[in-house]
Amino acid sequence: MMGESQEDGQPPAKKRHEMLPMTFKFLANKAMASALRQNAMSIGALAQGSLHITDGGDFYPGTSSYVSSLEAIDPTAMVSAVRQVTNIAVESGACVVDHGRELRFTCVMPSKSVSALIGVAGANVQQLQKATGAHIHVDSTALGFGPGGDRVVHVHGSAQSIEQAV
């Protein structure tokens, strides 16, 4: 019957939602992709999910960067895995810019999610920048059409600020 809970007390839709994986999609240059591949098993274990990196010359359109997708079901596990990815970025020097003082991390988000990130008149992104110390820039051009398209989001800052922002 409609509105009834399952045996565990949760509505069916809530239970299904909790089992859907979260995905953190980001771009990795050759050095970063190599370092991630060497650590893919441990990152996947931390995420209690998986890490996938595109192969060969399969780059994100218009770049020479590989697409990396980190999947997890548990938010705490995702945070641990993202922390490990950030540490690998620092150790490999792959995302270091501005003479080693800052990192640049490039994320890929669905266009329909970008409006939630930005907020009304940029309020959400401004609040996130203030809270984390990271600088966030959303590319104005989408790859693909409509809500199914992707937008690139650049995050600049210290390793700690990037970890908090992403």
Side-chain angles (χ1 to χ4, degrees), residues 4 31-32 36 38-39 44 46 53 56-57 78 92 106 116 127 140 147 157:
E4 287 187 22
M32 177 72 167
L36 289 171
Q38 291 175 354
N39 293 281
L46 274 173
I53 305 163
M78 178 63 92
S92 71
T106 304
Q127 182 181 7
S140 58

Side-chain angles (χ1 to χ4, degrees), residues 2-150:
M2 214 154 137
E4 287 187 22
S5 296
Q6 300 230 339
E7 291 177 26
D8 62 2
Q10 292 185 358
K14 181 172 175 67
K15 186 170 182 150
R16 276 194 313 274
H17 177 71
E18 289 175 355
M19 296 181 70
L20 293 174
M22 295 171 277
T23 302
F24 175 58
K25 198 168 164 184
F26 59 99
L27 302 183
N29 63 21
K30 186 176 181 177
M32 177 72 167
S34 176
L36 289 171
R37 283 186 182 102
Q38 291 175 354
N39 293 281
M41 295 293 284
S42 63
I43 294 168
L46 274 173
Q48 298 173 10
S50 61
L51 173 67
H52 303 283
I53 305 163
T54 55
D55 294 321
D58 190 11
F59 300 125
Y60 188 79
T63 73
S64 58
S65 296
Y66 298 93
V67 178
S68 306
S69 300
L70 180 60
E71 292 184 349
I73 292 176
D74 178 62
T76 304
M78 178 63 92
V79 169
S80 296
V82 169
R83 184 173 292 128
Q84 181 65 21
V85 168
T86 306
N87 289 339
I88 289 169
V90 171
E91 291 169 10
S92 71
C95 298
V96 176
V97 295
D98 194 23
H99 306 293
R101 293 183 294 206
E102 280 196 348
L103 296 175
R104 177 178 45 213
F105 220 81
T106 304
C107 307
V108 180
M109 292 181 65
S111 292
K112 65 182 180 181
S113 299
V114 169
S115 59
L117 170 66
I118 296 171
V120 177
N124 292 349
V125 79
Q126 289 173 10
Q127 182 181 7
L128 184 60
Q129 289 179 134
K130 188 174 182 179
T132 64
H135 175 75
I136 300 164
H137 172 78
V138 179
D139 279 0
S140 58
T141 309
L143 179 66
F145 299 101
D150 285 332

